[in-house]
Amino acid sequence: GGIAGASCAAKLITRGAAVDIYDKNAIASGGSGNLRGLFNPRFTAQQGFDSDFYGPAFALAHRQFSMMQDVAYQKCGSLHLILDDDKRRRFMGMADTWGWHDDHLRFLNADETSAVAGIPLTHDAIFLPDAGMVCPAQVTKSLAVSAQYYPHDVINLDTDGASWRVTGDGFTREYDAVIIAAGKDVPRFAQTEFLPVQAVRGQISYIDTPPSLESLRTNLCYGGYCTAPFDRQMVVGSTFQHWLDGDTLRDDDHHEVIAKLSTVTGIVLDTVKIRGGRASFRCAARDRVPVIGEMPNARGLYISAAHGSHGLLSAQIAAQILVAQIYSNTPILPRSVTNRLSPARFLK
């Protein structure tokens, strides 16, 4: 019932499939339920898997979000501040090697960064004018709207070779294909327990826009992030806590993300009003690459998981990859990319 499963459901329904979604909580109840989320690619200094995967994923997500209704789509751009030598190497390498036109990615010195942002900043930056934000909860609900939703827990998956049986408390149903899009719960099934995935807690804060940030025109990314103002508020995030497993909001985490924003902007935010926030879990694989494809030795069983911090992007293209595999269509990405994404990589 999150962004990964809902994206698959929407793509399959356009192909004429009947789709059921199982989530014991609710649609968009986990990490996909945030008030705002940014869509940015993952940056690397060289061309390779990341450019071949996240480049098309970024283009696809931007196009899809811009055509959706009532998802709070805002093409405000994102400034990625250069805070250290490592970021400078990666960001400048990306600008030099990914081959994006200046209209879509450009380096800015500190003065230019300030002019684009609308507030004074002291760091150079990479600017992505096509980036922006959406409401992940609304995107997820919109993508899932035509699927049949069951608020049930799935306990077991098994197959007779011709179809897959989905079993829960008091029910068993059969399907031609099953996609596991269960986030941190992926290893609970016998077919997926070998996958090295980890849940990482992240807390975001909803704050009233302070007067000093009212003129901010873009998202800011700096190891944390803040959105451009909307409805007189902002979203600031996110913590990265693999050692915590609770979703109760923590005051210390609110203070941490606001302090980081204060440090990179040079703006004192001690009196900012916190409206609330959310704590949820992102799921990542050991190698920090999403897990997308047909499960090895389990024909008809697929997975879309471990999207990490870039799930708004990678979930969209993952759905297209899986639909192409399910219907035996021509792959939409090079074989080198789909092999890198495949769950079979962990059996080598």
Side-chain angles (χ1 to χ4, degrees), residues 11-325:
K11 294 297 181 187
L12 286 164
I13 288 168
T14 64
R15 294 295 297 265
V19 180
D20 294 344
I21 292 177
Y22 291 85
D23 193 309
K24 64 180 179 180
N25 297 311
I27 300 295
S29 59
S32 301
N34 290 343
L35 181 62
R36 290 294 185 275
L38 312 189
F39 51 95
N40 291 299
R42 182 178 177 181
F43 293 169
T44 53
Q46 301 296 324
Q47 280 189 309
F49 164 77
D50 291 282
S51 60
D52 292 345
F53 177 69
Y54 285 104
F58 179 70
L60 174 65
H62 170 258
R63 183 169 66 251
Q64 178 160 319
F65 295 151
S66 67
M67 295 188 298
M68 296 180 74
Q69 302 295 316
D70 301 321
V71 296
Y73 167 75
Q74 188 173 340
K75 181 187 170 184
C76 54
S78 290
L79 282 165
H80 295 260
L81 304 182
I82 299 175
L83 304 178
D84 54 43
D85 290 340
D86 177 66
K87 279 190 169 58
R88 184 173 296 276
R89 178 190 62 82
R90 285 194 290 118
F91 291 1
M92 298 301 291
M94 178 188 180
D96 290 340
T97 64
W98 280 36
W100 289 18
H101 190 275
D102 286 351
D103 289 347
H104 304 290
L105 183 154
R106 61 182 183 270
F107 169 80
L108 305 177
N109 62 36
D111 290 339
E112 294 168 327
T113 298
S114 299
V116 169
I119 62 171
L121 293 168
T122 59
H123 300 286
D124 300 342
I126 288 290
F127 181 49
L128 273 64
D130 296 326
M133 59 181 168
V134 291
C135 174
Q138 290 304 115
V139 168
T140 303
K141 292 173 183 177
S142 178
L143 291 170
V145 69
S146 296
Q148 175 66 50
Y149 165 62
Y150 292 100
H152 301 149
D153 196 12
V154 174
I155 299 171
N156 187 55
L157 301 170
D158 66 279
T159 180
D160 59 8
S163 62
W164 279 89
R165 289 184 291 270
V166 172
T167 302
D169 187 11
F171 71 90
T172 297
R173 299 186 181 95
E174 292 192 355
Y175 297 93
D176 297 315
V178 170
I179 299 173
I180 298 175
K184 64 184 178 67
D185 291 327
V186 158
R188 69 185 296 182
F189 301 107
Q191 298 86 354
T192 52
E193 62 183 0
F194 71 93
L195 294 173
V197 298
Q198 179 186 36
V200 180
R201 182 186 183 274
Q203 180 172 314
I204 59 175
S205 302
Y206 304 150
I207 66 171
D208 282 348
T209 303
S212 52
L213 292 174
E214 287 178 349
S215 59
L216 178 64
R217 294 192 292 262
T218 71
N219 303 318
L220 295 181
C221 303
Y222 42 83
Y225 69 87
C226 75
T227 67
F230 63 94
D231 301 334
R232 299 183 179 179
Q233 62 183 312
M234 304 170 71
V235 175
V236 184
S238 169
T239 60
F240 190 91
Q241 300 156 313
H242 59 81
W243 60 91
L244 293 178
D245 58 8
D247 60 3
T248 301
L249 292 177
R250 292 161 36 106
D251 288 340
D252 286 350
D253 294 345
H254 286 311
H255 297 151
E256 176 185 332
V257 297
I258 293 169
K260 185 178 290 186
L261 174 61
S262 179
T263 298
V264 298
T265 60
I267 297 171
V268 177
L269 299 172
D270 291 346
T271 59
V272 68
K273 182 177 179 180
I274 299 170
R275 291 187 172 203
R278 289 187 86 243
S280 55
F281 296 86
R282 57 179 83 86
C283 178
R286 180 177 59 205
D287 57 7
R288 298 296 184 261
V289 173
V291 183
I292 302 165
E294 189 170 27
M295 292 300 301
N297 304 315
R299 185 170 180 81
L301 181 65
Y302 302 83
I303 188 167
S304 175
H307 294 282
S309 301
H310 300 278
L312 274 173
L313 289 188
S314 54
Q316 312 304 313
I317 202 164
Q320 291 207 350
I321 291 170
L322 293 184
V323 168
Q325 292 181 0

